[in-house]
Amino acid sequence: MAVVDGMLHFELALACEVFGADMTGVADAWYRLSVCGPSAVRVGRFRLEPDHGLDHLRHADTVIVPGWADIGQDPPAELIDAVRAAHGAGARVASLCTGAFVLAAAGLLDGKRATTHWAHTRELSERHPRVTVDPDVLYVDNGSVLTSAGKAAAMDLCLHLVRLDHGASIAKTLARRLVVPPHRDGGQAQFVTTPVPAPGNHPLAELLPWAIQRLDHPLTVEDLARQARMSSRNPGRRFRAVTGTTPLQWLLAQRIHHAQELLENTDDTIDAIATAAGMGTATTLRRHFGRTVGVPPDTYRRTFRSRTRPRPNDGGQHRQGER
């Protein structure tokens, strides 16, 4: 993590909670978090002692750049140079909130789509015209460069990185510890009436759990409206207000997430998982899964096969040589 005077403490602390978590017994080879900065730095009301200097960033696999407090002031050259050098050395670089201004100053967002806190998207676009700024999403993943919107969206991006590196089950376990939603898709709108709806505290509080328990059924908008006792025109508006997306897009995201967990934690065939996730056929699952996750289901399973939980009917023992 790159830190200098003038960064926002909320995003910095949030990232520390995610990547510095003690996941012993839950995940293999968890992150080794180092805070890198020029001697002692002032972060909001707090004084922070870095573990290493900024030059240590070039040894990192992933560099997190927290929010930059004063966007009217250029980030320090030493920070820009260190972040640019780390990316040049092969690091994945992710900014949280207004940390996008640091990445833009380093030239890492040129020709790319990016986001930041909605209140500063116009400023980012005007100051860096080569960046395609999207004000309507929670985060943007360009592969080696990622950006998040403000505050809570920084948590969404951090959990997205965990999901990429360790799989959906581990990300869900960590999210449960942090008492946050395990997965809000990056394309979800920043303006959500209830960004993190509490149980029983929004119009879909009973409908969403009901739908998640029936993902193996061919649910329609009319089915959702009937269950919620509302007209077929109302679910779209309610879903937008609560989840930031449409009912069918939300259902697809839940089906993909359920398929990820089954791929990680069961020996079920792709056909069986397609049925359990409500995709109907393996062909349909592969099409939607590949488009959403970026890899085929078989590749995902080989990458994120659970190594910490016993599989069904194996007596708690992993099969010889299975990873």
Side-chain angles (χ1 to χ4, degrees), residues 3-321:
V3 296
V4 295
D5 286 336
M7 285 188 156
L8 299 172
H9 62 273
F10 178 84
E11 289 80 1
L12 188 152
L14 178 152
C16 284
E17 284 293 314
V18 171
F19 302 111
D22 182 1
M23 297 294 282
T24 305
V26 178
D28 294 336
W30 194 245
Y31 306 95
R32 295 189 304 274
L33 176 64
S34 295
V35 177
C36 303
S39 63
V41 298
R42 194 77 184 177
V43 181
R45 287 174 171 261
F46 307 102
R47 186 175 183 272
L48 186 65
E49 294 282 351
D51 302 308
H52 304 282
L54 286 171
D55 59 342
H56 191 73
L57 294 178
R58 68 177 182 271
H59 302 295
D61 296 306
T62 299
V63 172
I64 303 295
V65 180
W68 178 244
D70 187 357
I71 62 168
Q73 178 183 350
D74 290 335
E78 60 181 338
L79 172 63
I80 294 172
D81 292 343
V83 169
R84 185 189 294 124
H87 184 259
R92 175 178 61 180
V93 180
S95 66
L96 308 180
C97 192
T98 49
F101 283 84
V102 178
L103 271 58
L108 303 189
L109 301 180
D110 288 354
K112 294 183 174 66
R113 182 166 155 263
T115 195
T116 189
H117 191 291
W118 62 266
H120 306 299
T121 51
R122 177 177 294 182
E123 178 73 12
L124 181 63
S125 181
E126 290 176 350
R127 289 175 56 182
H128 300 280
R130 297 184 63 184
V131 181
T132 301
V133 180
D134 190 339
D136 298 320
V137 295
L138 295 179
Y139 57 84
V140 175
D141 182 349
N142 289 300
S144 65
V145 179
L146 304 91
T147 54
S148 87
K151 302 302 178 184
M155 175 64 80
D156 294 306
L157 178 54
C158 289
L159 288 175
H160 172 68
L161 292 173
V162 172
R163 196 175 303 109
L164 290 175
D165 298 338
H166 295 278
S169 292
I170 298 300
K172 184 175 182 179
T173 298
L174 179 58
R176 188 181 297 116
R177 288 186 178 187
L178 297 172
V179 198
V180 297
H183 188 192
R184 291 200 298 166
D185 185 74
Q188 184 169 314
Q190 288 196 39
F191 274 124
V192 182
T193 304
T194 313
V196 185
N201 195 32
H202 60 89
L204 303 180
E206 296 182 3
L207 180 61
L208 299 187
W210 177 87
I212 288 173
Q213 292 298 317
R214 291 163 177 80
L215 292 177
D216 57 335
H217 291 63
L219 297 174
T220 65
V221 175
E222 288 71 24
D223 293 328
L224 297 175
R226 190 179 307 112
Q227 176 64 24
R229 298 181 181 85
M230 61 179 69
S231 76
S232 59
R233 296 189 300 272
N234 285 341
R237 184 172 65 252
R238 294 287 176 86
F239 266 80
R240 280 286 182 189
V242 173
T243 71
T245 189
T246 68
L248 294 182
Q249 288 172 332
W250 181 84
L251 272 173
L252 178 60
Q254 304 313 307
R255 295 186 194 283
I256 294 295
H257 181 69
H258 186 45
Q260 287 177 298
E261 292 194 315
L262 292 174
L263 288 165
E264 292 176 31
N265 299 310
T266 76
D267 293 314
D268 295 350
T269 64
I270 301 300
D271 285 297
I273 290 174
T275 299
M279 296 288 190
T281 67
T283 300
T284 301
L285 172 61
R286 286 191 171 96
R287 182 174 69 252
H288 288 295
F289 196 94
R291 183 182 304 152
T292 303
V293 182
V295 296
D298 312 76
T299 302
Y300 184 90
R301 167 172 270 171
R302 287 194 299 271
T303 304
F304 295 116
R305 190 72 164 197
S306 176
R307 285 175 278 175
T308 58
R309 298 180 183 181
R311 298 192 180 91
N313 303 318
D314 69 356
Q317 301 296 318
H318 297 304
R319 292 179 178 82
Q320 182 68 29

